[in-house]
Amino acid sequence: MRKMILKAALAALLVSPAAVAVAADEVEVLHWWTSGGEAAALDVLKKKLESQGVTWKDMPVAGGGGEQAMTALRARVTAGNPPTAVQALGFDITDWANQGVLGDLNPVADKEGWDKVVPEALQKFSKHDGKWIAAPVNVHTTNWIWINKKALDAAGGKAPETWDELIAVLDKMKENGISPIGHGGQAWQDATIFDAVVLAEGTDFYKASMVDLDPAALNSDKMVGVFDKMAKLKEYVDADFSGRDWNLASAMVIEGKAGMQFMGDWAKGEFLKAGQKPGTDFVCVRFPGTQGAATFNADQFMMFKVGDDKLKAQEMMASDIMSPEFQSAFNVVKGSAPARTDVADTDFDDCGKKAIKDLAEANSNGKLFGSMAHGHANPAAVKNAMYDVITRHFNGEMDSKQAAQELADAVAAAKG
Ligand code: GAL
């Protein structure tokens, strides 16, 4: 009899409101942070939530730049079963907000004063119709070069500040028998380099071509020159680059098999994960010609409309993301700058301090632009149209003059 009562009591406990409440304190998170550095950074958020009794249901969708993650998301939303929170970039957030499927974070945002500490450039995507619909985690900038220090020393020791100096270092690295550039031949990675080469032609040109989509800028001699430079850089990429994931290209630079990688500062997360230190093992410099300016992409967690049983955990996640402590602890590992402007750079390494300083400087000088490659310059239809032309040119399917013409045509068609 005693055993029966015990069993009955145990069964009751498992379905008691408290037990249901525990099950409800769960967030399901869709993201594409599957590399070593990305996972290490995300772990900071997972651990924070778990310390507050919130279970983290992970939905990783591998694929740099997030294209595959957005495809998986569309399937979940179509099935009427969206995750609690989803990593997303720029105009993709706006597109989801326009579908009316995102929640309202204003109760948390108003209480915590997000409007005062998040830059306007991010709020453009974090808010929709006056409501906070996403919590910004960071601000990455993409116009970086990550250089293996030993390889740089063997190539003269001076980090390139001009295009000609860059080519001279790449030629020396080639003579030294390594792959001068570590690169992954995926459209978003080709486009990330393209962003920097366009920005190096001047901020007015970047704005006219990548942001304003001015046909006269897209199909111009200057744009032909950009494609010529892309073709030149292609000469320094190893034969097996096609389809390589970005973090494997980072690993080539970390191991000294490649001399440098042109990539956003999430690459730094891979160097840190490998135990490497800025200035000792690797050097971070701005792509030549882009000094003083920056192309950015901010990772945000957009929050989908969820049932009351999930609201508390969702708001806890949003509040954790926006806490100054998290904004420092996460971005120190991720390689990015905090999304909040009131976070000290005390815990950041020299590359992190430079990321924060450069971002503030570019922003105050009006030289900060949304990255085309990472969905912060125009909606996905235009971004993907550009991807297609850039990557076909990079793979040698057309010459530079034709590429500039096709770029203008593809953008015109995508704009509808
Ligand atoms: C970017 C994203 C970064 C990193 C990178 C590589 O779009 O903002 O956080 O994930 O893709 O996948």
Side-chain angles (χ1 to χ4, degrees):
M1 182 57 173
R2 250 169 55 82
K3 252 191 187 165
M4 268 175 63
I5 294 169
L6 204 58
K7 261 172 82 174
L10 196 60
L13 188 67
L14 287 180
V15 292
S16 73
V20 170
V22 169
D25 276 349
E26 174 188 273
V27 288
E28 185 185 17
V29 184
L30 190 159
H31 63 88
W32 64 89
W33 285 335
T34 55
S35 80
E38 293 170 330
L42 190 60
D43 211 38
V44 177
L45 181 55
K46 282 184 191 176
K47 288 210 164 38
K48 171 74 181 165
L49 281 162
E50 281 162 0
S51 74
Q52 295 164 308
V54 177
T55 306
W56 178 284
K57 191 175 172 194
D58 207 27
M59 190 185 166
V61 179
E67 289 305 305
Q68 293 83 343
M70 292 300 103
T71 303
L73 174 59
R74 277 189 285 276
R76 284 289 299 267
V77 175
T78 307
N81 170 29
T84 318
V86 177
Q87 175 193 358
L89 301 173
F91 281 89
D92 287 344
I93 303 172
T94 307
D95 287 348
W96 284 108
N98 287 329
Q99 308 294 318
V101 291
L102 300 184
D104 175 6
L105 294 172
N106 277 4
V108 184
D110 295 345
K111 187 154 77 44
E112 299 179 356
W114 295 0
D115 284 275
K116 289 193 290 294
V117 294
V118 175
E120 207 40 56
L122 269 61
Q123 289 196 34
K124 173 181 169 184
F125 301 113
S126 316
K127 295 176 79 171
H128 185 74
D129 289 346
K131 281 186 189 163
W132 284 84
I133 40 97
V137 180
N138 62 12
V139 187
H140 278 299
T141 46
T142 62
N143 55 309
W144 288 99
I145 312 182
W146 306 93
I147 313 175
N148 177 289
K149 182 75 169 52
K150 275 204 193 81
L152 179 62
D153 291 345
K158 181 181 182 297
E161 292 173 15
T162 65
W163 175 262
D164 291 345
E165 288 178 1
L166 173 63
I167 299 305
V169 169
L170 290 171
D171 283 339
K172 198 79 186 81
M173 287 179 169
K174 204 170 202 171
E175 277 166 40
N176 293 344
I178 61 170
S179 170
I181 297 174
H183 180 62
Q186 295 167 350
W188 74 270
Q189 295 190 59
D190 300 339
T192 300
I193 301 178
F194 188 83
D195 255 346
V197 179
V198 172
L199 186 63
E201 292 300 323
T203 52
D204 291 345
F205 181 67
Y206 188 91
K207 183 174 181 305
S209 58
M210 297 293 105
V211 180
D212 300 340
L213 305 178
D214 175 358
L218 289 168
N219 186 16
S220 60
D221 291 345
K222 193 169 269 194
M223 190 58 80
V224 172
V226 165
F227 280 110
D228 283 344
K229 287 185 172 176
M230 289 297 288
K232 181 65 181 167
L233 293 177
K234 171 71 180 303
E235 293 173 16
Y236 300 99
V237 169
D238 68 292
D240 302 326
F241 82 104
S242 182
R244 179 184 290 135
D245 286 335
W246 69 273
N247 54 311
L248 300 183
S250 306
M252 288 171 71
V253 180
I254 289 165
E255 292 154 16
K257 293 191 182 100
M260 62 178 79
Q261 182 182 23
F262 306 121
M263 188 47 75
D265 41 24
W266 48 90
K268 195 189 78 173
E270 301 306 301
F271 286 81
L272 297 186
K273 190 81 173 65
Q276 295 205 337
K277 289 192 176 21
T280 310
D281 306 302
F282 66 95
V283 172
C284 56
V285 292
R286 290 296 176 184
F287 189 90
T290 70
Q291 295 91 334
T295 39
F296 81 91
N297 59 303
D299 288 303
Q300 308 206 33
F301 277 106
M302 49 183 181
M303 301 294 178
F304 278 76
K305 277 180 183 152
V306 290
D308 290 348
D309 66 324
K310 288 274 170 70
L311 208 49
K312 182 165 104 13
Q314 187 181 64
E315 289 184 347
M316 282 171 79
M317 179 175 172
S319 179
D320 287 349
I321 287 170
M322 293 307 292
S323 75
E325 302 71 32
F326 171 79
Q327 288 271 325
S328 179
F330 172 87
N331 286 296
V332 158
V333 178
K334 188 70 169 64
S336 31
R340 293 177 67 119
T341 53
D342 61 347
V343 174
D345 69 358
T346 321
D347 295 342
F348 290 78
D349 63 29
D350 288 348
C351 289
K353 286 181 162 66
K354 179 171 172 54
I356 294 168
K357 178 174 164 291
D358 288 357
L359 192 63
E361 184 185 296
N363 191 35
S364 57
N365 296 338
K367 295 188 172 187
L368 179 65
F369 300 94
S371 158
M372 170 281 292
H374 295 269
H376 279 71
N378 272 289
V382 172
K383 177 193 76 173
N384 292 330
M386 288 195 176
Y387 273 16
D388 179 57
V389 175
I390 293 162
T391 208
R392 285 194 293 123
H393 171 267
F394 196 74
N395 292 329
E397 292 178 32
M398 63 182 91
D399 67 25
S400 298
K401 205 162 169 42
Q402 191 186 347
Q405 178 62 61
E406 290 219 13
L407 188 67
D409 295 347
V411 166
K415 273 166 61 175

